[in-house]
Amino acid sequence: MISVIIPSYNEEENIFEAAQAVSAVLADREYELIFVDDGSTDGTWQKITEASADPHIRGLRFSRNFGKEPAIRAGLEAASGDAAVVMDCDLQHPPKVIPEMIEKWENGAKVVEGKKSARGSKGSSYSVFAAAFNSVMTRATGFDMSGASDFILLDREAVKAVLSYGESGSFFRALAQYVGFESEAVYYDVAERERGSGKWTFFKLLSYALKNIASFTSAPLLLGLASGAVVIVAAVVLFILKWCGADLGPFGAGVLALMLVGGLILISLGIIGYYLSRIYDEVKRRPKYIISADTKERK
Ligand code: UDP
Ligand code: MG
């Protein structure tokens, strides 16, 4: 059996279309379709309960908005398929690629990653941001994350491995590679979102990016060390200038050096503080999500 997992947040316009499109490509197989309603405030849950009249479809509802990562996790935990496919609700991950993913899985791949061959036009600042984020993540994880997305098929074994990473700030698309296993890729064009709007605000994206970078690398902590080196070099330069007779004013050199040192110390402290806050979040061991309803319980 194939499980398809769709995290959905305020997607009332897309539930039926997504259900239909997925059912169409999987009609000749055994499958289940799990919608995880990530605390939507519109009619998403209503649509999901209606759609779940189809015995293939199951809906899980979060008690509030926990985020896409917890929604993916909840779906993977609920899935009972031999393979699980995670995809977006807005059909930007084209369901017609799923049979291709399944074929690669049947030929032995444990992880089949959907890679973006073109990015839907999203505005240049978004693509610059995405490219920068992907290149940092590529360095941090040691896997090629350019064009990576959350459109991924996982074999049951890989699902188990991904779920065994118990951290609350996990990053699904990187973990799917990180667990190892034989991996293949299929390429797809990102379609435009047809209905509804993107669910990310700038700050949500920024915090998502920082969280995921911090969850895979502690290299920024070395910035403290690097900034120390910069300060020493700057101090030496100032000293040489002064020694050569340059006039930096009565306090010029001192003020400059103080500002430099102060700024760099504050940056380093900020980075340490950020990692500390991530550690604090992890040690609290809070549940990653809370389910308030499950359509299966009513069947
Ligand atoms: N999503 C979610 N929780 C959130 C934000 C988004 O479950 O807090 C879901 C959303 O419903 C969609 C997917 O994540 O199925 C991708 O969201 P979106 O299309 O807004 O993002 P993008 O296409 O820009 O990655
Ligand atoms: Mg989208």
Side-chain angles (χ1 to χ4, degrees):
M1 180 166 80
I2 308 286
S3 304
V4 176
I5 294 152
I6 307 189
S8 317
Y9 177 53
N10 292 346
E11 300 279 10
E12 58 183 358
E13 306 101 322
N14 291 317
I15 300 294
F16 281 141
E17 280 74 7
Q20 229 163 29
V22 171
S23 307
V25 296
L26 291 175
D28 54 349
R29 298 177 177 271
E30 222 187 310
Y31 73 95
E32 65 175 351
L33 175 50
I34 303 176
F35 283 103
V36 183
D37 177 1
D38 184 12
S40 300
T41 50
D42 66 356
T44 300
W45 181 246
Q46 178 64 30
K47 297 280 180 208
I48 292 175
T49 36
E50 282 169 33
S52 69
D54 176 343
H56 291 291
I57 299 180
R58 175 176 177 189
L60 296 174
R61 184 185 203 182
F62 279 3
S63 58
R64 65 165 167 85
N65 180 235
F66 279 88
K68 186 180 180 186
E69 291 289 330
I72 292 175
R73 188 179 182 95
L76 289 175
E77 280 174 358
S80 47
D82 307 304
V85 179
V86 175
M87 62 177 279
D88 282 2
C89 197
D90 53 11
L91 298 178
Q92 284 187 299
H93 296 159
K96 62 174 195 289
V97 185
I98 295 178
E100 214 180 306
M101 292 175 134
I102 295 177
E103 200 186 310
K104 300 222 152 146
W105 167 63
E106 283 170 337
N107 287 333
K110 301 277 186 212
V111 177
V112 184
E113 198 196 349
K115 278 194 169 258
K116 298 170 193 154
S117 47
R119 188 168 261 285
S121 63
K122 268 227 170 114
S124 54
S125 66
Y126 182 93
S127 15
V128 169
F129 188 83
F133 172 65
N134 284 336
S135 86
V136 171
M137 285 310 294
T138 298
R139 273 169 189 274
T141 60
F143 299 106
D144 178 16
M145 300 293 290
S146 60
S149 70
D150 290 327
F151 189 22
I152 301 175
L153 176 148
L154 294 177
D155 180 78
R156 172 120 303 270
E157 236 180 302
V159 170
K160 246 202 266 162
V162 165
L163 290 177
S164 73
Y165 285 74
E167 65 226 63
S168 60
S170 67
F171 184 37
F172 174 64
R173 73 180 76 155
L175 268 185
Q177 296 294 317
Y178 201 66
V179 293
F181 295 115
E182 203 179 316
S183 151
E184 290 257 16
V186 296
Y187 291 85
Y188 68 93
D189 291 320
V190 182
E192 293 286 340
R193 179 184 254 277
E194 278 171 33
R195 287 162 298 271
S197 51
K199 307 300 177 237
W200 300 92
T201 59
F202 175 74
F203 285 107
K204 219 171 158 186
L205 262 182
L206 188 68
S207 116
Y208 177 79
L210 289 177
K211 219 187 223 175
N212 293 325
I213 291 167
S215 85
F216 270 95
T217 176
S218 46
L221 285 172
L222 292 176
L223 201 76
L225 213 66
S227 57
V230 172
V231 171
I232 290 171
V233 171
V236 169
V237 169
L238 284 176
F239 180 76
I240 293 173
L241 281 176
K242 188 107 184 122
W243 200 53
C244 295
D247 182 15
L248 300 172
F251 304 111
V255 169
L256 207 71
L258 268 179
M259 278 168 60
L260 198 67
V261 176
L264 290 174
I265 289 176
L266 287 176
I267 291 173
S268 317
L269 272 180
I271 294 169
I272 293 172
Y274 185 75
Y275 275 89
L276 202 64
S277 76
R278 306 290 324 133
I279 294 170
Y280 183 53
D281 280 349
E282 293 293 344
V283 298
K284 280 188 286 194
R285 293 245 145 265
R286 290 187 173 165
K288 297 167 188 77
Y289 57 83
I290 291 167
I291 290 179
S292 64
D294 181 347
T295 58
K296 203 174 156 191
E297 268 148 30
R298 273 179 286 132
K299 274 181 186 164

